[in-house]
Amino acid sequence: MFTHQARRRRLAATMLLCGLSATIHASPQTIDSLPLRADGNTMILPAGDYSGQFLLDEPVHLRCEPGAVLDSAGKGSLLTIRAADVTIEGCTLRNWGANLTDMNAGIFVEPSATGVTLRNNDLSGPSFGIWSDGTRHLTVEGNQVEGDRNYRSQDRGNGIHLINTNEARVVDNQVRHVRDGIYLGNSNNNLIEGNLMEDLRFGIHYMFSQSNRVIGNTTRRTRTGYALMQSRMLTVENNRSEDDRNYGILMNFITYSTITNNFVSNVQRGQTGDDSMIKGGEGKALFIYNSLFNTIEHNHFERSNLGIHLTAGSENNKISHNAFVGNEQQVKYVATRTQEWSVDGRGNFWSDYLGWDRNDDGLGDVPYEPNDNVDRLLWMYPQVRLLMNSPAIQVLRWVQRAFPVMKMQGVQDSHPLMQLPTTHLIQPTQEAN
């Protein structure tokens, strides 16, 4: 065991107060009598309340015992990490500052802090939970981040915020009631895996990043589950979007990426005032906006207002082996070229397909064409929806079927699948009829 003097020198070297007048208050004991235990670079912080803003500026492994609470009394960032090879484990952090412009955060990782590990911590505060600024080899694992619901969502910080951060692992965290669950800007070669994000604006939000993997995450009750924007070479695989609003997966200027084995269910229209970055009336399971050269396969999109919406030059994407099940409208395609949605003679499964399979090869004998000229008329003039079931609209649809020369360009699946290819993605309680 260290003497009191040695413990104080050790603590001062690793946990320096930020600011002019901050102090540490230990309850019920004073800091001089804290029973710190050390094993190499590991420091054990006992139960107690510790107020102030703390700086770690040399390598240390800090482990908190149950009941140890760090609190900055609503001022600035609570814990700033400046040194490399720091580990923070099992700590409770509360009540840091709410100033988003000053980047107040529960844990702020500076560029010099490479190789930092944040594991099994519990953070609750009004602004950013964990902010990583220009570092490498960060591990954020098993943490819980909770926002402050007294603030509007746009006035809260993001749960885990990575800027210019490369080779990071963000794994098995739970994030609730913040602005965006996990945000990545200009951050490359990162793994985002196994996280649960609920009651947010965006679950996972990418901007200007490349070569990232998004694997096995779950979003619930967000305004957009996965907001993928201005990025390339993303792998988005085995994720779930459940009961999100506006969008399950949104692709905005995404190129050379793979979207596969994802499950999106029950995306519904958002409420008035939702602060989505791209406005839209329908709840869209998948929205593809000006995105090219992507592979979208083996996904399941069900029970949403709109299964898939393509627009703004979203072409040259490979879309096959997906399932579109029980959506109010399966496809909305706004462009001037025909899109073929089958690859190597196999297309997608459509729950409203009315064709047949006479040779029993598992493929429909007639193409699936989800939209016609009447759909285009409705997209251009939404007020026409009042006449949806009128004799005039029915005549228009009959004329199109009788005289295919009038057919407009649109989506065509020449080889629709007769059997659901994504049963492995459907949990027993969520099987579609």
Side-chain angles (χ1 to χ4, degrees), residues 126 148-157 178-179 223:
D148 189 336
R149 281 178 278 182
N150 292 319
Y151 292 80
R152 298 182 306 167
S153 64
Q154 58 265 43
D155 295 330
R156 305 170 194 168
V178 297
R179 183 171 61 193
R223 295 183 195 141

Side-chain angles (χ1 to χ4, degrees), residues 150-394:
N150 292 319
Y151 292 80
R152 298 182 306 167
S153 64
Q154 58 265 43
D155 295 330
R156 305 170 194 168
N158 300 322
I160 300 170
H161 188 92
L162 309 183
I163 292 293
N164 298 316
T165 296
N166 301 323
E167 289 90 36
R169 296 178 66 253
V170 180
V171 179
D172 295 336
N173 302 281
Q174 297 184 15
V175 186
R176 297 182 176 89
H177 300 116
V178 297
R179 183 171 61 193
D180 297 346
I182 301 173
Y183 175 90
L184 298 96
N186 293 299
S187 297
N188 305 326
N189 301 302
N190 300 294
L191 171 65
I192 312 298
E193 182 174 13
N195 302 281
L196 172 63
M197 293 148 289
E198 298 178 305
D199 303 297
L200 314 165
R201 184 183 71 164
F202 298 160
I204 293 178
H205 185 186
Y206 271 97
M207 295 291 291
F208 306 108
S209 300
Q210 66 178 11
S211 301
N212 281 262
R213 291 183 294 155
V214 184
I215 310 294
N217 303 280
T218 298
T219 64
R220 297 192 184 111
R221 299 179 301 277
T222 73
R223 295 183 195 141
T224 295
Y226 303 86
L228 315 176
M229 301 185 178
Q230 283 89 18
S231 299
R232 63 197 304 265
M233 294 187 292
L234 304 180
T235 298
V236 182
E237 181 177 355
N238 291 325
N239 302 283
R240 300 184 72 86
S241 162
E242 302 172 353
D243 300 315
D244 292 322
R245 301 194 305 273
N246 296 324
Y247 310 98
I249 299 175
L250 183 154
M251 301 171 62
N252 179 15
F253 289 88
I254 296 297
T255 57
Y256 301 103
S257 296
T258 299
I259 316 296
T260 184
N261 280 307
N262 301 286
F263 181 93
V264 180
S265 177
N266 197 34
V267 183
Q268 302 297 320
R269 295 175 177 86
Q271 303 298 316
T272 301
D274 279 356
D275 52 349
S276 302
M277 293 184 70
I278 299 178
K279 299 298 181 182
E282 301 92 352
K284 301 171 184 177
L286 176 62
F287 182 35
I288 306 177
Y289 182 90
N290 201 13
S291 296
L292 307 169
F293 310 116
N294 302 291
T295 298
I296 301 168
E297 60 185 10
H298 301 290
N299 302 286
H300 187 103
F301 306 105
E302 72 166 31
R303 292 189 291 125
S304 299
N305 296 141
L306 180 55
I308 179 171
H309 181 189
L310 283 85
T311 190
S314 296
E315 299 175 347
N316 297 311
N317 298 297
K318 295 181 178 179
I319 301 176
S320 67
H321 295 85
N322 302 287
F324 297 87
V325 181
N327 301 294
E328 293 178 20
Q329 182 179 349
Q330 299 281 45
V331 178
K332 183 175 182 179
Y333 169 65
V334 181
T336 59
R337 295 175 56 185
T338 296
Q339 294 260 9
E340 174 57 50
W341 284 3
S342 62
V343 177
D344 297 329
R346 299 190 68 84
N348 304 272
F349 175 84
W350 308 91
S351 61
D352 59 343
Y353 177 63
L354 299 178
W356 52 88
D357 179 15
R358 290 175 295 184
N359 60 357
D360 199 29
D361 64 353
L363 304 175
D365 293 338
V366 296
Y368 176 80
E369 296 176 330
N371 302 133
D372 57 20
N373 288 341
V374 173
D375 292 319
R376 287 179 170 272
L377 184 66
L378 295 174
W379 300 336
M380 294 174 61
Y381 306 102
Q383 61 269 29
V384 176
R385 290 184 181 276
L386 297 173
L387 305 175
M388 275 290 290
N389 297 317
S390 69
I393 294 296
Q394 300 304 316

Side-chain angles (χ1 to χ4, degrees), residues 99-117:
N99 193 317
L100 302 181
T101 302
D102 291 344
M103 302 182 294
N104 292 167
I107 300 176
F108 193 98
V109 184
E110 294 189 349
S112 55
T114 59
V116 166
T117 297

Side-chain angles (χ1 to χ4, degrees), residues 385-411:
R385 290 184 181 276
L386 297 173
L387 305 175
M388 275 290 290
N389 297 317
S390 69
I393 294 296
Q394 300 304 316
V395 168
L396 281 176
R397 291 196 187 277
W398 179 85
V399 169
Q400 287 182 118
R401 290 192 296 269
F403 302 98
V405 70
M406 298 178 61
K407 184 175 69 174
M408 299 294 291
Q409 304 297 327
V411 166

